[in-house]
Structure formats: C-alpha cells, structure tokens
C-alpha cells in the first residue's frame, strides 16, 4: 500500500454536500446500497447548543448514534449511522457542516543553538528565573510518549489516551511492527531534560495519544485530543501530523483555530510533500495556528571534485561523518556484493542502488577495505536513506545522472577525486511543504525551523529523524520560552514576536526564498523575546484580483504595539516599483510605551498590466532600530494550484464494497477516474465520472461488481476547472481473491507559478 510519510496519522477530509437526500437518492453514480452503510461523521453547528438539544437533534426521526460532544474544540459533535440518516441530519436547522471521518496521514545537535535556544538561558523572567519553559504546559497530540524515558520523566505532566480511552498515553510498544516512537521524539525536541536537552527543558509536557499502533488514529480522536487540551488549559499545543490536502476549512483546522480562540498557541507542521508549491497540508493550513516548515541546521556536507567539477554528496542517516580532505582513487563496484568489491582497498567505492540494503553495501565495502561508499540512485533524482547498524566508513548518496557519469568516466581509465567538506545551514529542506493555501490565498508556512537530522529521544534511547514533524516542536518549545518571559502575551502576540524577528533565508545561489516557501523565515528565539515592537497580523494577504477590476484597491490592516519602555518612531520603507502596482502606506508616527495603533495598508492594482498569477514580497517597517518585514501575497484571477489531490482507494465499510476518497480544493467542471492497461495504455473505461462537482472531499462507495477483472490497472484521476486539467496516477492491483492494492504511480501534477 502507498505510504505518504514515515508516520501515519488521521486526517479529516471535507465532504461536500448539496441538496441532501434527493441528491443522494437520485444520483446515478451513488450505489443505493451505500446509503445503508454505517459511517462516522463530524457535525459542526452554526450556534451553540446544550447537550440536551444536541441529543434531541440526533434522535429526532433517525437511528443515529451520538458518539462525542465537543465542548471546546468545535461547536458540534460526532455521530454514527447510515449515510442517508447523516445526510438528513445535514439538512436540519442549525447544522453548518457535516464531514465524514476518514483516514489521514501524519506527517542535529546544532539545531537548538542555531535558533538561539542556548542564548536565552542567560535571560530571566519576571520572577528572576532563567528561561527554560518552567511553569508552561505544552500539549503534544501524537502517538503518545515514553514517559519513562530518563530525559522525559521529570517533565511529564500526565495526559490522556484517546485511542484506548484511558489516562495512560504511553507509546505503542507491544504490537509486532506496529510500535511507535514519533511522539517521544517530538516531546524530546520540546522539553528533553537529561542526556540531551530540548528547546524548553523545564516545560511540562502533557501527552495526548490520538494515534495508536502504527501511528494510525481517527479524526474523532484528534479533535477529542484538541478538545481535552482546551479543557486542560495547556499554554502551547503541538501537532506534528498532517496530510497532503491543501484546504483551509477542514474540521481539524477549524478545531485548531478554536483552540487559539481559547488562548492556546497552536503549532502545526506544514507537511513533507515539498519542494513543489501548493503542497502545504492540513492542519498546517489553519489560519490562526503557526504553520512550520523545515530548514537545515548547521551541517557538514561532503563534496567531491572530479575533473574540475564539484559534486555534492548526501550522508545517509546513521553514517559516520566524512571528515577527510584528500585525493582518492574511485572505482565502480556494481551493486556492492562481495564479489563486486574485490578491488576497492584504499579507494572510494561507487555502487549502484538496488538489490542489497544500504547497510549491507556499506558493511561489504568496509570488509573489502574501502575508505568510503557512494551509492548512486537507480531512478531519476537524488535520494536519502538510513543505515540500520553501525558502519565505520562514510556511506553517502548521489543522483543517478552523476553516478552514471562517473561510471562512464572510470571506464576510460583511472579516476581520482579530491574530497573536502563544506558547511551549510539555513537552507530549506527539499521535503518541506510549500504554500500558499488554496481559496484563502494565505501565506503558509508562517515560519521555518530546523527539521533535518534532528537527534532526540525515542523509546529506549535516541535517534536522528527528519521532517517538518521535527521542525514544529522547535517552534512549540520557543513559544514556551516566550510565554514564560511574557506570561500576559496570548497566541497572536507570541506568533507575531516570532514572525517579526525571523531571519529570512536565501538559497545556495543567494536568492531569497519566496514568502509562501519560508513564511517570515527561520525563528530567532532571543530576538523574539527581546522585541520592542509587535505588528499583528504578521503577514498579509490582499486576496484575488480579476482582470475586470481596473485599478482595483484592496486594503490590509495591522496593529502596531510599542512593547518597549521608550517612545519609538515608526515608518515604512517605500516598496520597489513594479508595473501595475501602487502602494499607499501610512506616514511616519510615534508610539509611547505600551501604546498601539491600527494602520490601513492599501494596494491598488491594474490587472491589465500584470503578467503573473501570483505576487508576493515583504513590506518593511522601521521600528526604532528594529527592521520588521511583513510578508504579503495576492493573486490574479485563478492561479495555477492543483485541481485534484489526496486520492486513495481501499476497502469499503460493507462486504464486497470498496471506497475511494479524493479532494478537490476548488471543485471541478469535470471529474473522473479513467482506467488504462498499464502496458499498452489502452483506455478500458471509467471507474467514476461526474460534472459540476463542488469544492471539498469526494467519498464514494463502489460495489465489487463495478470493478474490472483481476489484474493490474493504471488509474488516472483527473479534474478540470477554468481551462486547466490536473491528474493523479495510481496503480490498482485487483487480485483473484478480491483483495486490492493501490499504489501511487507518480507525484500529482502540481502546477508551477507563471
């Protein structure tokens, strides 16, 4: 089965309803039997209702079972029952939205020093105590934690298990191949206090196990965990989980926004589907939460210089450092079997990926006397991997193109390569998901933090992992330190302090990353704590402009607060001139200590003079001696975002049925799932086809007799809107015994900005 991330969690995908029961009963593509299948759904109410009113609403004329009433995270509840009864419920007065519960995916030792985590130990709070996160409660919604770990047991403050419904949120250990470690790793980055130290080593960790064996859970459990965290009045909440659906209005994102309304600073990972744009996933799309992308800590990167050309190598996770600067002979040694490695003593062994594990290749090369191993990819592009046991020589990776080039060069005669080390830091990780957010056109992620080769606690020890799951807890820990230093600051001020003082990053060529790739930049904790000005919100979106809107004007509003002990002068720098744009920014002004002022920032646009679909940049405010950059974004007409995403196919809830799920962020004029022969690409037929489909999630049951004969099929899932078609390809293997297996055939077609 396909795997999107290392850790699998649950996501709630929005289901789009229209004209209710009549639509269901008369829709030609919905099997009538599917209306009798029992499902679980989340019901969001327009207005607050009492428990008795909710019970009357559920039991009135239906056979629905009331499961959960959410008191804090959502104004609503969950029910179980037949689809047709759930659909009837969606038509009741006072119901805002009904959304099914589906299955969704979770998404270096210099890291804490780099973001200023060590420097703040020299700062003190109002009680004259060092900034360590002491007295701050950080909730971690994840796979639970190993609270017996020596680096975590001191700061463990209890929690809840929403999977087994008890108060023991221990990581899954017993089930074969289903044990977890993700939550323990995340908790260690935030508040480990032992052999290693987290960002806020004296913060109190409250664990919420919403993801069980194998990292799997349900939307109900995740929202219930948010609900419980609100009830427990945690100060900070970390969700290192997510999916590949770029939608701002999924219930789990709404629940996070609600947590912020209750005074909790919510932090979520942006996702691991980069480096393409429009890949940020929920709940990293939640407007009020802090969405976090991944950057690199300080890393020593090995390079080869061959015939005057420099080649970058990627150390495999668990490899020893490449710490020598010499010239070595290189030799090609096949796949790295013992038979292939007869002439590698004292040389660098170039190996082709495949057949043997990375660890086996490394051990074989070590025993044959090689000084280092380079494994080149057997498919296009670069790759990363892990060693399963210690190998005392460096094991690295390179792309297929580079490897094949070196192999051909060696065939002509001896090849010598000079080796050296270069230090890199503050680059965006390729896997880090980028924005913007569909439909709201918001800038996400808001910030970035180290998320590559991050060493932290796991059950039984320590392990380096990477992902935006590792970046988010750096920010959660930073928020705990800021909360200790400024206990009266709420979520908006904490978020603004980090964004206003973030360090904008540049790529290897020295060019700034776009705002929808890095947000405001990489966090700097000490500067955030010491900031003398807050600008809220810390980023601006001016919405969508149409070609018919000649010189249309949009406004953005920010509140500027002087948090210093002295009066300060404020002014905006004039933005660079650009055809078709005209800014109207406030004149300079002064604020007394503690004083605040609301400002209007106007952007006039002549769309006929624009030649791109998406514009972004930074407005610069001069606040005394401080320079604050405010990321902004606006779009022209319908930008080139993916029209289809998040496809999966699996067993249905009833015998002899199957179900597919897919998300359409802007709806579609035409949607379909076409089947092809994978070898001849001959068109076989449609698994489903629809016109004028609304925005959101399609969740469709299919009877087994609707499927073709056993065999392997190529599925093309496509959606057309505004003259653009996007598609996702998957292989569907239908076995003779009726079992099916679906596996992604390619990355979804994510459009690039014009």
């Amino acid at each position: 089965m396909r795997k999107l991330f290392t850790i699998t969690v649950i996501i709630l995908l929005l289901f789009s309803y229209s004209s209710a029961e009549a639509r269901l009963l008369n829709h030609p593509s919905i099997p009538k039997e599917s209306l009798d299948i029992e499902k679980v759904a989340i019901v969001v109410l327009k207005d607050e209702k009492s428990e008795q009113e909710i019970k009357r609403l559920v039991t009135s004329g239906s056979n629905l079972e009331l499961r959960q009433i959410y008191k804090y995270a959502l104004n609503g509840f969950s029910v179980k029952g037949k689809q047709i009864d759930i659909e009837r419920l969606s038509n009741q007065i006072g119901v805002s939205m009904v959304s099914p519960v589906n299955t969704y995916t979770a998404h270096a030792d210099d890291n804490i020093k780099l973001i200023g985590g060590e420097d703040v130990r020299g700062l003190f709070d109002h009680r004259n105590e060092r900034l360590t996160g002491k007295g701050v409660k950080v909730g971690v919604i994840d796979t639970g934690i190993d609270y017996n770990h020596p680096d975590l047991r001191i700061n463990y403050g209890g929690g809840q298990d929403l999977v087994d419904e008890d108060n023991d949120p221990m990581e899954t250990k017993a089930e074969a191949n289903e044990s977890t470690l993700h939550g323990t790793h995340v908790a260690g980055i935030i508040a480990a206090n032992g052999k290693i130290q987290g960002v806020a080593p004296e913060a109190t960790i409250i664990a919420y196990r919403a993801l069980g064996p194998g990292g799997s859970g349900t939307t109900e459990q995740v929202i219930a965990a948010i609900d419980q965290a609100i009830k427990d009045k945690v100060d900070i909440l970390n969700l290192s989980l997510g999916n590949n659906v770029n939608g701002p209005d999924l219930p789990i994102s709404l629940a996070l926004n609600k947590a912020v309304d209750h005074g909790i600073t919510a932090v979520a990972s942006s996702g691991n589907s980069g480096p393409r744009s429009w890949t940020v996933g929920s709940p990293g799309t939640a407007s009020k939460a802090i969405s976090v992308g991944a950057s690199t800590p300080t890393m020593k990167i090995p390079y080869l210089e061959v015939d005057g050309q420099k080649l970058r190598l990627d150390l495999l996770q668990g490899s020893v450092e490449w710490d020598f600067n010499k010239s070595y002979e290189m030799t090609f040694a096949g796949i790295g079997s013992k038979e292939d490695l007869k002439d590698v003593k004292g040389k660098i062994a170039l190996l082709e990926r495949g057949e043997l594990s990375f660890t086996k290749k490394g051990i074989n090369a070590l025993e044959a006397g090689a000084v280092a191993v380079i494994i080149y990819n057997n498919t296009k592009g670069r790759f990363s991997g892990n060693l399963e046991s210690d190998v005392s020589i460096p094991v690295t990776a390179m792309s297929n193109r580079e490897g094949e080039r070196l192999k051909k060069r060696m065939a002509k005669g001896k090849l010598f390569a000079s080796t050296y080390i270069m230090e890199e830091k503050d680059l965006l990780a390729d896997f880090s998901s980028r924005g913007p957010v569909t439909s709201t056109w918001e800038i996400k992620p808001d910030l970035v933090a180290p998320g590559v080769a991050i060493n932290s606690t796991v059950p039984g020890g320590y392990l380096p992992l990477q992902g935006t799951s590792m970046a988010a807890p750096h920010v959660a820990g930073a928020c705990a330190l800021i909360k200790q230093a400024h206990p009266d600051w709420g979520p908006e001020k904490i978020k603004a302090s980090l964004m206003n003082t973030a360090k904008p990053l540049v790529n290897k060529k020295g060019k700034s990353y776009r705002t929808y790739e890095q947000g405001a930049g990489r966090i700097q904790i000490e500067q955030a704590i010491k900031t003398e000005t807050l600008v809220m919100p810390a980023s601006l979106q001016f919405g969508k402009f149409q070609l018919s809107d000649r010189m249309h004007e949009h406004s953005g509003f920010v509140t500027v607060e002087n948090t210093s002990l002295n009066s300060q002068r404020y002014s905006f720098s004039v933005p660079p001139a650009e055809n078709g744009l005209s800014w109207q920014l406030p004149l300079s002004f002064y604020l007394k200590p503690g004083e605040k002022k609301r400002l209007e920032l106007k952007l006039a646009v002549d769309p006929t003079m624009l030649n791109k679909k998406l514009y972004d940049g930074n407005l610069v405010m001069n606040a005394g001696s401080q320079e604050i950059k405010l990321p902004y974004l606006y779009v022209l007409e319908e930008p080139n975002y993916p029209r289809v995403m998040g496809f999966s196919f699996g067993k249905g809830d009833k015998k002899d049925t199957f179900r597919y799920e897919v998300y359409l962020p802007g709806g579609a004029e035409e949607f379909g799932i076409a089947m092809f022969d994978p070898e001849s690409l001959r068109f076989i037929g449609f698994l489903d086809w629809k016109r004028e489909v609304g925005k959101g999630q399609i969740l469709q049951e299919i009877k087994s007799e609707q499927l073709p004969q056993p065999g392997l099929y190529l599925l093309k899932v496509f959606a057309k809107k505004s003259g653009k078609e996007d598609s996702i390809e998957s292989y569907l293997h239908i076995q003779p015994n009726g079992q099916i297996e679906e596996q992604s055939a390619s990355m979804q077609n994510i459009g690039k900005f014009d």
Side-chain angles (χ1 to χ4, degrees), residues 19-47:
S19 75
E21 186 177 343
R23 179 183 64 80
L24 275 177
L25 292 173
N26 298 315
H27 200 294
S29 64
I30 299 180
K32 302 302 180 291
E33 293 85 347
S34 70
L35 304 181
D36 293 327
I37 298 172
E38 286 201 335
K39 296 176 169 43
V40 178
I42 306 293
V43 180
V44 180
L45 299 170
K46 295 177 181 177
D47 303 302

Side-chain angles (χ1 to χ4, degrees), residues 108-423:
D109 294 332
D110 174 71
N111 48 312
I112 293 176
K113 180 180 179 181
L114 182 67
I115 62 176
E118 293 183 3
D119 294 335
V120 299
R121 302 290 182 258
L123 303 181
F124 296 83
D125 64 12
H126 62 290
R127 296 168 298 190
N128 202 35
E129 294 186 347
R130 291 188 185 275
L131 295 185
T132 59
K134 188 175 182 179
V136 180
K137 294 196 296 184
V138 183
V140 177
I141 297 178
D142 215 293
T143 58
I145 71 169
D146 179 6
Y147 47 73
N148 292 323
H149 195 290
D151 289 16
L152 294 174
R153 61 189 177 202
I154 298 174
N155 295 342
Y156 174 63
Q160 291 288 319
D161 186 333
L162 289 309
V163 178
D164 296 332
E165 298 184 347
D166 57 37
N167 61 358
D168 182 14
M170 174 61 77
E171 286 265 20
T172 302
K173 290 184 176 182
E175 287 83 353
N177 300 319
E178 292 291 307
S179 61
T180 59
L181 53 77
H182 194 262
T184 300
H185 198 275
V186 166
I189 296 171
I190 297 170
N193 195 357
K195 181 179 178 181
I196 64 172
Q197 290 212 328
V199 180
E202 291 191 314
T204 300
I205 292 292
I206 310 296
Y208 300 97
R209 183 175 179 256
L211 315 173
S216 181
T218 68
T219 304
E220 278 187 295
Q221 292 158 359
V222 175
I223 295 180
I226 298 173
D227 206 59
Q228 185 64 42
I230 297 172
K231 182 180 179 181
D232 293 341
K233 297 182 178 179
V234 302
D235 300 296
I236 318 295
L237 191 57
N238 187 90
L239 285 85
S240 287
L241 53 88
N243 74 340
N244 64 344
V245 174
N246 184 342
D249 49 1
L250 305 185
I252 197 168
S253 293
L254 299 180
L256 263 195
N257 287 336
K258 195 78 170 181
V260 175
D261 292 339
H262 281 272
I264 296 173
T265 302
V267 180
S269 54
S270 67
N272 298 333
S273 298
R276 297 184 179 183
S277 303
W278 304 104
T279 49
V280 61
S282 178
T285 54
S287 294
K288 297 179 182 180
I290 303 175
S291 177
V292 186
S295 61
T296 61
T298 303
M299 303 178 69
K300 293 180 179 180
I301 307 299
Y303 277 79
L304 292 180
E305 186 167 343
V306 182
D307 295 339
Q309 184 180 16
K310 296 178 180 179
L311 301 175
R312 186 183 193 275
L313 303 177
D314 299 310
L315 279 173
L316 271 60
Q317 290 290 322
S319 171
V320 298
E321 295 285 344
W322 188 303
D323 59 359
F324 37 79
N325 291 273
K326 293 183 180 180
S327 179
Y328 289 96
E329 184 180 349
M330 295 187 65
T331 184
F332 175 66
I335 62 168
S337 67
K338 291 185 178 181
E339 293 74 18
D340 292 330
L341 291 158
K342 293 178 179 178
D343 185 30
V344 299
K345 188 173 183 180
K347 302 176 184 178
I348 297 173
L350 178 69
L351 310 179
E352 185 177 4
R353 182 181 180 183
E355 295 190 38
L356 303 177
S357 70
F358 302 140
T359 307
K360 186 64 175 174
K361 291 176 188 286
I363 291 173
N364 287 347
L366 170 66
E367 292 176 348
V371 296
V373 172
I374 300 173
I375 303 171
Y376 71 90
N377 209 355
N378 51 6
T379 57
K380 185 178 179 180
R382 307 185 77 86
F383 72 97
S384 60
N386 297 278
L387 297 179
E388 299 166 354
S389 61
D390 292 337
V391 180
S392 59
I393 57 173
V395 182
T396 63
M398 68 166 39
S399 71
N400 176 268
R401 186 178 64 176
E402 293 169 337
E404 287 291 342
R405 187 183 303 157
L406 289 176
K407 179 182 173 182
K408 290 178 182 178
R409 171 63 181 80
M410 291 177 209
K412 297 178 180 179
K414 286 188 176 183
L415 178 64
F416 288 85
S418 298
T419 66
Y420 59 98
I421 303 294
M422 290 186 65
E423 191 172 272

Side-chain angles (χ1 to χ4, degrees), residues 645-659:
M645 57 181 67
F647 175 76
S648 66
F649 193 99
K651 287 185 177 180
D653 295 322
K654 194 174 181 180
K655 186 179 180 181
D656 296 327
T657 65
F658 299 92
R659 177 176 63 210

Side-chain angles (χ1 to χ4, degrees), residues 454-749:
I454 306 301
N455 191 43
S456 185
T457 49
V458 294
Y462 309 88
L463 187 70
L465 296 175
Q466 63 185 34
T468 56
S469 284
M470 285 64 249
H474 282 87
V475 175
C479 291
L481 296 174
I482 297 170
K483 186 68 176 178
Q484 181 189 350
H486 301 283
D488 57 327
W489 284 10
E492 186 177 29
K493 289 187 176 181
I494 292 175
K495 181 177 181 179
S497 71
L498 285 166
M499 293 183 68
N500 293 166
T501 59
K503 176 186 177 181
L505 303 186
V506 298
N507 62 23
K508 293 176 184 177
K509 297 180 180 180
K511 185 178 179 180
S512 295
Y513 291 106
R514 306 295 291 266
T515 61
Y516 47 78
E517 294 179 310
Q518 66 169 323
R522 195 257 294 153
I523 63 169
Q524 302 185 108
I525 304 175
E526 184 177 14
Q527 289 87 331
I529 290 171
K530 290 181 175 180
T531 186
E532 296 187 336
T533 298
L534 294 173
V535 183
M536 303 163 286
S539 65
L540 297 164
Q541 49 275 346
F542 288 94
K544 184 194 291 187
F545 294 83
Q546 302 296 337
L547 279 173
S548 58
D549 298 336
R550 284 190 72 90
M551 287 310 294
H552 192 74
E553 189 175 82
H554 285 210
S555 292
F557 294 88
V558 296
T559 297
V560 181
E561 181 177 348
N562 181 359
T563 59
S564 75
L565 300 176
N566 302 298
S567 294
Q568 291 201 86
R569 180 180 181 271
Y570 298 90
S571 64
F572 281 91
S573 297
V574 178
E578 191 164 359
N579 288 339
L581 306 182
S582 176
W583 291 94
Q584 186 175 333
L585 303 176
L587 299 175
S588 62
F589 59 95
Y590 285 86
L591 290 179
K592 297 176 182 178
E595 190 178 4
K596 61 179 68 173
K597 185 175 184 178
R598 190 169 186 261
L599 306 176
E600 182 178 14
L601 314 176
K602 294 182 179 180
L603 173 62
V605 175
D606 183 353
T608 61
M609 298 182 68
L610 303 183
N611 56 16
K612 298 186 293 186
K613 293 290 188 180
L614 189 143
Y615 290 79
D616 73 313
N618 289 281
L619 294 177
V620 179
M621 169 181 271
N622 303 296
S625 61
Q626 184 179 354
E627 184 179 87
I628 296 174
K629 292 187 176 181
L630 298 175
Y632 66 82
L633 179 73
Y634 57 96
V635 301
L636 176 64
E637 293 190 310
E638 193 81 357
N640 200 18
Y641 62 87
R643 270 41 175 188
V644 58
M645 57 181 67
F647 175 76
S648 66
F649 193 99
K651 287 185 177 180
D653 295 322
K654 194 174 181 180
K655 186 179 180 181
D656 296 327
T657 65
F658 299 92
R659 177 176 63 210
Y660 76 80
E661 303 169 7
V662 67
Y663 187 80
L664 306 181
E669 294 153 6
E670 182 182 349
F671 164 79
I673 304 176
M675 295 184 294
F676 298 86
D677 181 282
E679 294 184 0
S680 66
L681 298 183
R682 177 179 59 86
F683 174 68
I684 296 173
F686 285 103
L687 192 61
D688 199 1
W689 184 86
K690 307 174 189 289
R691 279 194 178 276
E692 302 304 328
V693 183
K695 167 189 171 182
Q697 177 73 11
I698 299 176
L699 178 69
Q700 183 68 59
E701 296 282 348
I702 292 178
K703 296 174 67 174
S704 59
E705 53 260 37
Q706 294 177 258
L707 297 178
Q709 295 297 315
L712 182 66
Y713 299 90
L714 177 65
L715 302 183
K716 180 181 178 181
V717 186
F718 67 90
K720 297 179 181 179
K721 186 183 180 186
S722 302
K724 182 175 184 296
E725 177 179 324
D726 271 332
S727 65
I728 300 173
E729 291 184 350
S730 283
Y731 287 112
L732 184 65
H733 185 199
I734 304 174
Q735 300 175 9
N737 61 3
Q739 297 294 314
I740 64 167
E741 183 178 87
E742 181 257 326
Q743 186 175 8
S744 176
S746 65
M747 292 291 293
Q748 64 186 35
N749 179 20

